[in-house]
Amino acid sequence: MLLDPFRKQTYVKEESIYGFGPWVVRDIFAGEGTWQHVVDDWMYKFNQLIIENVAKRNTVVQAGSWQGVYPLLLSNMFDRVYTFEPDPVNFFCATMNCQRNNIFKFQCALSDHAGISTFEETGTTGQGRLESADPYDIPITNKFQVPTIRLDDL
């Protein structure tokens, strides 16, 4: 299988969120608190906001799949979920976790242009981004090239 090299950078988290799980997650984030933050955000904020404010739930676009938590949970509420993740290990996790027919996964970044751009990793969950001026001066731990697409081109 093409994605097998990423298995060495992940582990299985035996947890259920709204009946989904276990989860394939990235090992470098183990114990750093982000997982629980994402789960809490969904359970105590986003889930209820969607229920209360989104009447027609045909299609949702979710950028930054991370481990696939939000796309999978959104797939229970929307007919179609389009999700984008440029980081190859995160995309592996999202692919393993999002095995539903209504989730359309893209290994690329959304941008104002289609092409190739530099992606910056910071070693901090949720801080990866396309190369740009950094007003927060967050240290970059890795850079690599990723495909970019315009949402309007889909």
Side-chain angles (χ1 to χ4, degrees), residues 44-144:
Y44 304 113
K45 186 172 25 174
F46 298 137
N47 185 46
Q48 195 60 36
L49 283 171
I50 292 168
I51 290 168
E52 293 171 2
N53 297 293
V54 182
K56 292 184 181 179
R57 298 194 195 133
N58 299 325
T59 302
V60 64
V61 174
Q62 193 275 327
S65 303
W66 189 52
Q67 323 275 322
V69 177
Y70 289 145
L72 187 58
L73 294 170
L74 288 165
S75 75
N76 237 15
M77 302 177 86
F78 289 85
D79 296 336
R80 288 171 301 282
V81 177
Y82 291 87
T83 187
F84 303 84
E85 177 57 58
D87 181 279
V89 182
N90 285 346
F91 186 76
F92 170 77
C93 292
T95 299
M96 298 302 291
N97 293 326
C98 296
Q99 297 289 316
R100 298 188 81 186
N101 290 335
N102 65 331
I103 304 173
F104 302 92
K105 301 168 289 292
F106 297 84
Q107 188 175 358
C108 62
L110 290 176
S111 180
D112 61 354
H113 71 281
I116 302 292
S117 293
T118 300
F119 188 80
E120 301 175 331
E121 286 183 318
T122 63
T124 304
T125 302
Q127 294 293 322
R129 77 284 177 114
L130 292 179
E131 188 173 47
S132 66
D134 182 5
Y136 305 106
D137 197 28
I138 299 170
I140 304 303
T141 58
N142 189 25
K143 291 184 178 189
F144 52 92

